[in-house]
Amino acid sequence: MSQLADVEDVLDVAGVDDRPSRKLSRRALSDVIQPRVEELYELIQAELRRAGFEEVLSSGIVLTGGTSVMPGMIELGEEIFHMPVRLGIPKYTGALADVIQSPRFATAFGLLLEAQAQHKRGQKVHETRNVKQVFGRMKSWFEKNF
């Protein structure tokens, strides 16, 4: 959120291709990112409404992924969705727990847990040989679960 960003806080932004890096204030970067996040949240809200799930989300929205940890993502989500928003952090205590217990890995970790659960239920975990199969299986999973 732009209002949370400090104008005095300057970041070194890596250049694209052969361009050199440049200095950019955190506020200027936020002024570019915030409208895109708002747009994305509004698209998600419209899809939830269209699918009829908006009313059943009484406990709120869970954000995962690398961008979910950016400052202001929760506050902006609560402002747009008008409900509680929190970070999804995997509950894991095994090896590399300090790395895995991050919203960055929540989706991948959740998919691994789902594969493990399917395996325990006796469902065969399919081998995937090409990208088309991967997307087909992902589509099928989303259709079944959402």
Side-chain angles (χ1 to χ4, degrees), residues 1 6-7 13 23 38 60 71-72 88 96 113 121 140:
M1 293 182 75
D6 183 5
V7 178
V13 178
K23 304 280 186 209
E38 287 174 359
L96 300 172
L113 289 176
R121 289 191 304 262
S140 173

Side-chain angles (χ1 to χ4, degrees), residues 79-134:
E79 189 177 300
I80 290 176
F81 293 115
H82 304 293
M83 64 178 66
V85 175
R86 70 176 179 85
L87 291 178
I89 300 171
K91 292 179 182 176
Y92 177 71
T93 57
L96 300 172
D98 56 328
V99 174
I100 293 171
Q101 290 178 330
S102 166
R104 288 179 173 94
F105 303 107
T107 302
F109 191 71
L111 290 172
L112 288 172
L113 289 176
E114 176 61 22
Q116 182 183 39
Q118 286 182 13
H119 182 72
K120 285 181 181 177
R121 289 191 304 262
Q123 293 176 305
K124 184 177 178 184
V125 178
H126 303 287
E127 253 186 66
T128 304
R129 301 209 185 274
N130 64 41
V131 175
K132 189 174 181 178
Q133 285 179 321
V134 171

Side-chain angles (χ1 to χ4, degrees), residues 14-84:
V16 179
D17 294 327
D18 294 332
R19 296 180 187 159
S21 64
R22 61 184 180 143
K23 304 280 186 209
L24 189 64
S25 77
R26 190 174 293 271
R27 171 76 53 90
L29 187 58
S30 178
D31 287 341
V32 171
I33 294 172
Q34 182 177 342
R36 300 298 71 78
V37 173
E38 287 174 359
E39 182 180 10
L40 181 61
Y41 282 172
E42 288 167 1
L43 289 169
I44 292 168
Q45 186 178 39
E47 184 60 25
L48 289 170
R49 190 173 292 136
R50 186 197 66 74
F53 291 121
E54 188 175 38
E55 297 303 318
V56 296
L57 292 176
S58 59
S59 58
I61 303 283
V62 178
L63 298 178
T64 63
T67 59
S68 68
V69 297
M70 288 192 318
M73 293 294 284
I74 292 173
E75 295 83 355
L76 188 57
E78 288 177 340
E79 189 177 300
I80 290 176
F81 293 115
H82 304 293
M83 64 178 66

